[in-house]
Amino acid sequence: TAVNEPVVPQVPLMRYNQKMLFNEDDGYVDISGIGDVTGAFSWSIWINDIGNATQGYILGRSSGQDYLRLIGGRIQIRIAGSSDASFTPNGQYTHSNIRHIAVTRNSSNNLKLYVNGVEGTLYNGSNYVTGGVTNSGTSNIDYIGREIGVNNYRGLINEFSIFNTELTKTQVQELFNDGVALDATTHSKFIDTTDLLGGSYDFTDTSQWNQVSNATRTSATSITATSNNGYIRTLNSSFENDTRLYKISIQGSVTTGNIDLKSWGGQETYKTGITGTFNETVYAFTSFGGLMIVLTANTAVATITSLKIERQYLLGYWRNDGVTTWTDRSGVGNNGTVQGTPDSITIREGLNSNRDGL
């Protein structure tokens, strides 16, 4: 009957988590590979720092141009080498408390910072201002817990997610969730489930598939190569004309040879050598306009039974998975690699493993 008694500890059934401890002198997580982010973006991260008397870089970039750090009782942001924007919560930052920090920038380059769901007043170098500060630089984060090898972070970090859109105050507060971290793939702004093709993959529809070379449309769902590297491609406008992340889900079958998935015009390759019956999901971080399906063998036939192109706002999402690899839960696959030989701590998992990890 103890199973039904929530106040009785079930010690044999409890799980334990190993968490990486950022110890300032050694150890950080390399997540380089996200690429430059122009325009709107957002960062969301949970921290619990260990009373660092100097400064600690929570996020950083190998070139020293971008960071989020603690310094002198303040939280400080720098984007693309611009002047620092500082925030002093309640006059002084309190160490050794769990904090949720969110940084957002909209399409008008207005930068804001939130601590525990509350928007902060930022110091722009000369004055404290409300409503954010202006910054138009290109953002790029390479490291968690480090900035070009100096003044690494000291404490615990968990639940870092980066979006290529501005999160609203309501969405920031949803992730904060009154102090209990929520999954970034099921909360806030993960993906636009609207199919950019409008649910259609009819290859005879010249309003969407009017670009064909060395191939023929044999039916609404099939194409046949008339020579090697025959292709069919969507209209250029099926992707937006700036750098965004797209999720492409495609199912079907190939007879003879194989197919490649590339960007419109072939500038970027997403997947090569697809054969037989397939069910693929690929991610396109591109501004090249659309999707090209390439048949790499003469007389090859590709039948597409399902195709969906969606815009994804979540560029990367990492939890504190210990001292080896931090899995990227966004689906993009940019797993973080732990560098150095940091310490780890083993804690008993409580009611909420993400928060308890801090």
Side-chain angles (χ1 to χ4, degrees):
T1 59
V3 173
N4 299 317
E5 297 294 337
V7 297
V8 178
Q10 302 297 306
V11 176
L13 303 180
M14 288 178 179
R15 295 188 297 176
Y16 289 80
N17 292 328
Q18 185 187 70
K19 299 296 180 183
M20 174 177 168
L21 179 64
F22 293 80
N23 57 13
E24 187 176 9
D25 297 323
D26 190 12
Y28 62 93
V29 183
D30 188 332
I31 57 169
S32 56
I34 297 174
D36 290 342
V37 181
T38 58
F41 72 87
S42 298
W43 304 335
S44 171
I45 195 165
W46 289 80
I47 67 169
N48 188 358
D49 59 295
I50 304 174
N52 193 348
T54 56
Q55 60 186 24
Y57 287 89
I58 305 166
L59 302 170
R61 184 177 180 178
S62 58
S63 63
Q65 299 292 297
D66 293 60
Y67 56 68
L68 174 68
R69 69 175 179 176
L70 306 177
I71 180 171
R74 302 187 305 277
I75 303 171
Q76 203 167 71
I77 314 161
R78 174 174 286 189
I79 305 294
S82 63
S83 299
D84 295 331
S86 300
F87 168 64
T88 307
N90 300 323
Q92 185 69 24
Y93 183 88
T94 303
H95 293 290
S96 302
N97 284 340
I98 298 173
R99 301 276 182 180
H100 176 249
I101 299 175
V103 176
T104 70
R105 187 174 71 184
N106 63 16
S107 58
S108 299
N109 299 316
N110 186 247
L111 192 70
K112 294 183 180 181
L113 181 142
Y114 299 84
V115 177
N116 291 348
V118 178
E119 183 181 345
T121 300
L122 286 171
Y123 184 73
N124 64 2
S126 57
N127 298 292
Y128 280 96
V129 296
T130 58
V133 298
T134 300
N135 178 283
S136 60
T138 298
S139 168
N140 192 323
I141 291 297
D142 291 323
Y143 307 129
I144 301 174
R146 177 184 190 250
E147 165 66 11
I148 58 173
V150 296
N151 299 114
N152 290 359
Y153 183 78
R154 188 178 182 210
L156 287 160
I157 296 176
N158 209 344
E159 292 283 326
F160 173 49
S161 52
I162 181 168
F163 301 79
N164 64 355
T165 187
E166 178 200 23
L167 297 182
T168 65
K169 183 176 182 179
T170 299
Q171 290 166 338
V172 168
Q173 291 174 338
E174 180 181 349
L175 286 174
F176 170 55
N177 190 35
D178 289 333
V180 180
L182 292 180
D183 190 329
T185 64
T186 53
H187 294 273
S188 191
K189 199 168 185 178
F190 169 37
I191 196 168
D192 183 352
T193 57
T194 302
D195 188 348
L196 296 182
L197 292 180
S200 170
Y201 50 92
D202 183 347
F203 290 152
T204 64
D205 184 352
T206 56
S207 66
Q208 292 181 324
W209 298 90
N210 67 344
Q211 301 288 341
V212 177
S213 176
N214 299 328
T216 59
R217 304 179 181 92
T218 55
S219 73
T221 61
S222 295
I223 54 174
T224 299
T226 55
S227 64
N228 289 349
N229 297 317
Y231 66 81
I232 185 170
R233 62 187 179 190
T234 64
L235 288 180
N236 190 36
S237 58
S238 62
F239 286 176
E240 296 173 85
N241 291 324
D242 55 359
T243 303
R244 302 291 181 186
L245 179 67
Y246 298 93
K247 179 181 179 181
I248 302 169
S249 306
I250 184 169
Q251 298 180 40
S253 61
V254 182
T255 58
T256 309
N258 52 65
I259 64 172
D260 298 341
L261 301 179
K262 296 186 176 183
S263 67
W264 196 95
Q267 289 94 335
E268 292 187 18
T269 300
Y270 311 137
K271 183 78 175 183
T272 61
I274 300 173
T275 61
T277 302
F278 61 87
N279 184 350
E280 299 284 348
T281 298
V282 295
Y283 292 85
F285 194 71
T286 180
S287 59
F288 290 126
L291 174 67
M292 182 164 68
I293 302 173
V294 182
L295 292 84
T296 60
N298 189 18
T299 70
V301 177
T303 300
I304 311 300
T305 57
S306 176
L307 174 61
K308 180 180 286 188
I309 303 175
E310 303 164 300
R311 179 178 170 187
Q312 182 163 312
Y313 299 101
L314 187 61
L315 301 183
Y317 176 33
W318 301 267
R319 289 179 181 164
N320 192 324
D321 290 326
V323 293
T324 54
T325 300
W326 287 30
T327 301
D328 178 7
R329 290 165 169 81
S330 71
V332 179
N334 183 31
N335 294 334
T337 304
V338 176
Q339 304 294 326
T341 55
D343 295 329
S344 65
I345 58 173
T346 301
I347 61 171
R348 191 177 71 191
E349 184 179 87
L351 296 177
N352 183 279
S353 61
N354 300 333
R355 176 185 167 88
D356 294 337
L358 290 167

